[in-house]
């Protein structure tokens, strides 16, 4: 044992990879830091987490993660301000959602102190990895998967909770055009769409690839029964602005309760922007695009924060959404990132100081 | 390199675990054989498979299997007859379905000879592990998962295909009662329900646990939109017998195209049993249970072959399905297992000799 931080045992890496990293040209989620948090569920309970050197995971080939997709994750970011203070954004909401996801996937829920103290200890050990560059941050990936063995299709008896971190630049490069999906679906009523479950993402890759082949970057998912309602964009929630009103769909058992999504709703309302949380039909969006009242469309999520959409395809027609001055997307993104990076006041109490 | 079998490189284990195995008291899928087939997708193609000692898999924590559920699998069985000859059951159908699943999960498709020659080489090396006991078999688990790295939510650039084997007894012990699901769902229209994707299974664990807590063993999944149609039972397709007619639902993008299911349909028809492949409503099953015309209900799948259901719950009522003489379930199960184990003629050409 090298040290204890927040009651978390720290085993330090003998060398660092940080000198090989070009912090001015970061991509997303490819370069991992020197350490990770590791915590095992066995003998019926979560064991004490440890910060250990970032290292490979060794699993039996019959580990249930390989066969039955029992895994959940979160996405978070840490920022370093001009004074070198480290900030998180609503981390307890990520913790709570992780347990909501776990429950639906029959994974044992995690104690809050293991998550929060473990995360803070890891961020202290890898503090030098948190970028200060505009537009960059330390992307944090907490995840849990079934490490228990056996081919019986039932919940595992052992799990691993890991937090790994990757200094990252922007998620999307260039413009984002989306295809409104008419055939494939992301989630079912009564399914796991509201959870950050691994399987929700793999199922999107093939339809997304078909959309990419047609010249789009992302799919806008619609309900699986009628394909008449707009639900979610791949790894993001979706907002549309019709005239001056900002609209997003309500959360449901098919739609992720996004932390960026709910922050945008609250922030926009506080700035006097009219916000509606209600079902959005594809036909109203198409109609608004035709008559010029569709002013903006953007995705919202931790990875991309706010990602403006420059056009969409539907039933073999393309609709442009011309860039506008005073767009809500850039206004809201600036406000949120200023709060996240401690450049502005935080009237909502969203910012969380790591100390 | 120790040897070549069917052009497959063999690296033999230095020791065997077989002497520790009680072949008279096998459970399902817990004891693994001495070897496994291993095949990597990298540099844009599947590399030559090898038979290697059964051993742990080492992965980077950012491997996409942990985050995005990109995995598919198959279930097969090998049998040894009285002469010691080894038999598979319709293995090419498993191979084809594996590639159908892979395509939907954006996993590169596998060449047929890597699958078939690799499987046969593995079965020769671990031939002593194939049980001869009545009701036991070698359960074979081919699976593919994303081993490529990175947190970007997109298909991996590297994969592992593995075949592992477990000498196994029966999947269920004791009677099977099922709960017809009214709230949760297994799959969406346009989703991945027809694929043997890992994520399809993890999503069933929590609702199944709720059913187990109420005294049932499995959930009967209904459509996610109305919950009025019977679709699938957990890891099995579902059949009902009303009067003398055997009925099963049609396959769709929500329902797995089960190999045992289609074998039962063909076998039953050849034996003069009236078979209907059509949508089954929950209300007709409840009505048939009430008026006594529901004679049988059973699950069908590789693991359980045919698993008779002794009753079901629906809307807080329980319905018994009394055991009957001359049940289709036992008649069909005997015929199928006799074909599988080379105890009878095989007019369908389903049996596949491993040589």
């Amino acid at each position: 044992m090298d040290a204890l931080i927040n009651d978390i045992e720290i085993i330090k890496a003998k060398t660092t990879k940080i000198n090989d990293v070009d912090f001015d040209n970061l991509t997303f989620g490819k370069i991992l830091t020197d350490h990770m948090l590791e915590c095992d569920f066995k003998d019926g309970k979560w064991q004490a987490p440890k910060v250990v050197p970032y290292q490979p995971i060794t699993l039996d080939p019959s580990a249930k993660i390989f066969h039955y997709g029992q895994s959940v994750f979160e996405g978070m970011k840490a920022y370093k301000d001009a004074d070198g203070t480290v900030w998180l954004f609503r981390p307890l909401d990520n913790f709570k959602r992780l347990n909501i996801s776990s429950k639906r996937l029959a994974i044992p829920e995690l104690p809050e102190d293991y998550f929060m103290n473990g995360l803070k200890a890891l961020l202290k050990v890898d503090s030098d990895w948190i970028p200060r560059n505009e537009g960059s941050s330390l992307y944090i990936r907490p995840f849990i998967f079934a490490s228990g063995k056996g081919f019986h299709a039932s919940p595992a008896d052992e799990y691993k909770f890991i937090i790994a971190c990757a200094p990252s630049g922007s998620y999307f490069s260039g413009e984002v055009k989306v295809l409104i999906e008419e055939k494939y679906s992301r989630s079912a009523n009564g399914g796991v769409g509201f959870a950050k479950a691994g399987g929700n993402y793999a199922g999107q890759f093939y339809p997304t690839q078909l959309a990419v082949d047609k010249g789009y970057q992302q799919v806008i998912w619609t309900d699986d029964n009628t394909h008449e309602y707009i639900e979610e964009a791949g790894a993001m929630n979706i907002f549309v602005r019709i005239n001056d009103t900002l609209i997003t769909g309500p959360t449901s058992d098919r739609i992720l309760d996004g932390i960026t999504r709910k922050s945008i709703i609250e922030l926009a309302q506080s700035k006097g922007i009219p916000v509606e949380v209600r079902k959005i039909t594809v036909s109203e969006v198409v109609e608004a695009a035709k008559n010029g009242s569709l002013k903006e469309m953007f995705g919202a999520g931790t990875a991309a924060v706010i990602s403006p959409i420059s056009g969409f395809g539907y039933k073999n027609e393309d609709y442009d959404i011309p860039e506008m001055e005073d767009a809500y997307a850039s206004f809201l993104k600036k406000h949120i990132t200023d709060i996240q990076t401690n450049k502005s006041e935080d009237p909502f109490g969203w910012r969380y100081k790591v100390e």
Side-chain angles (χ1 to χ4, degrees), chain A:
Chain A
M1 195 189 306
D2 291 23
L4 272 180
I5 299 178
N6 301 333
D7 288 328
I8 305 291
E9 183 183 341
I10 312 291
I11 300 169
K12 280 216 172 170
K14 293 194 166 46
T15 57
T16 179
K17 300 169 292 190
I18 201 166
N19 300 318
D20 302 333
V21 179
D22 178 1
F23 279 87
D24 293 326
N25 292 291
L26 291 169
T27 55
F28 182 85
K30 284 190 182 164
I31 295 164
L32 283 293
T33 66
D34 287 328
H35 298 86
M36 64 187 198
L37 186 81
E38 192 171 36
C39 181
D40 286 327
F41 182 91
K42 59 182 179 186
D43 303 329
K45 65 173 189 153
W46 287 104
Q47 309 294 316
K50 291 178 191 177
V51 172
V52 298
Y54 186 83
Q55 60 193 285
I57 296 166
T58 298
L59 291 169
D60 192 85
S62 75
K64 293 200 179 189
I65 179 61
F66 297 128
H67 306 274
Y68 302 127
Q70 223 190 343
S71 69
V72 295
F73 71 93
E74 276 298 322
M76 312 170 71
K77 283 179 174 174
Y79 307 88
K80 199 174 258 184
D81 69 16
D83 297 334
T85 303
V86 175
W87 301 93
L88 292 165
F89 186 70
R90 311 185 79 173
L92 283 163
D93 289 356
N94 291 98
F95 165 70
K96 285 176 196 155
R97 192 173 59 184
L98 185 66
N99 272 349
I100 289 170
S101 298
S102 286
K103 186 175 175 190
R104 182 62 182 82
L105 275 291
I107 294 171
E109 292 170 54
L110 198 68
E112 182 180 315
D113 59 336
Y114 282 13
F115 183 93
M116 289 302 297
N117 291 342
L119 173 59
K120 286 186 281 185
L122 176 62
L123 290 176
K124 279 180 202 168
V125 173
D126 278 343
S127 169
D128 289 346
W129 286 85
I130 305 172
R132 290 167 187 253
N133 323 31
E134 183 85 25
S136 294
S137 60
L138 187 72
Y139 183 76
I140 300 166
R141 171 56 59 89
F143 62 106
I144 305 177
F145 64 88
S147 53
K149 298 185 275 187
F151 293 146
H152 202 282
S154 52
D157 56 357
E158 296 189 355
Y159 297 85
K160 268 189 187 291
F161 164 52
I162 287 174
I163 304 181
C165 301
S168 293
S170 51
Y171 190 85
F172 291 107
S173 51
E175 70 169 4
V176 178
K177 282 181 173 268
V178 297
L179 180 65
I180 298 181
E181 184 61 53
E182 297 165 56
K183 178 181 174 189
Y184 295 102
S185 301
R186 181 183 166 276
S187 60
N189 298 304
V192 304
F194 68 96
K196 281 191 88 74
N200 286 341
Y201 293 79
Q204 297 181 51
F205 291 169
Y206 175 71
T208 302
Q209 193 54 53
L210 295 179
V212 167
D213 292 344
K214 290 179 184 164
Y216 306 95
Q217 282 71 49
Q218 286 268 303
V219 167
I220 300 290
W221 296 103
T222 49
D223 69 290
D224 81 305
N225 190 39
T226 66
H227 295 288
E228 285 173 9
Y229 295 95
I230 282 179
E231 304 223 307
E232 226 192 274
M236 304 185 290
N237 293 111
I238 184 96
F239 285 79
V240 298
R241 173 183 175 179
I242 296 180
N243 293 317
D244 285 340
T245 304
L246 192 59
I247 314 168
T248 193
T251 56
S252 71
D253 58 3
R254 295 189 308 275
I255 302 182
L256 191 77
D257 183 10
I259 293 164
T260 309
R261 173 189 171 278
K262 68 183 181 185
S263 303
I264 288 170
I265 294 170
E266 209 176 330
L267 176 64
Q269 284 169 333
S270 81
K271 298 292 181 186
I273 294 173
V275 178
E276 291 179 8
V277 178
R278 61 162 174 85
K279 287 191 171 192
I280 305 169
T281 63
V282 178
S283 53
E284 73 174 311
V285 172
V286 170
E287 185 54 34
K290 283 180 179 166
N291 70 26
S293 61
L294 180 67
K295 305 295 185 189
E296 292 182 65
M297 188 184 262
F298 57 82
T302 295
V305 190
I306 287 177
S307 182
I309 290 166
S310 62
F312 67 90
Y314 181 63
K315 288 198 192 292
N316 298 315
E317 294 245 9
D318 275 328
Y319 301 87
D320 280 336
I321 308 172
E323 209 174 321
M324 65 184 296
E325 281 185 47
D326 305 321
Y328 287 166
S330 40
F331 174 82
L332 294 167
K333 183 171 183 177
K334 181 174 179 358
H335 273 280
I336 286 192
T337 53
D338 280 355
I339 292 173
Q340 288 171 329
T341 56
N342 194 29
K343 285 184 185 149
S344 71
E345 289 303 302
D346 174 19
F348 308 100
W350 290 337
R351 205 159 50 211
Y352 183 100
K353 191 175 187 174
V354 178
E355 52 191 351

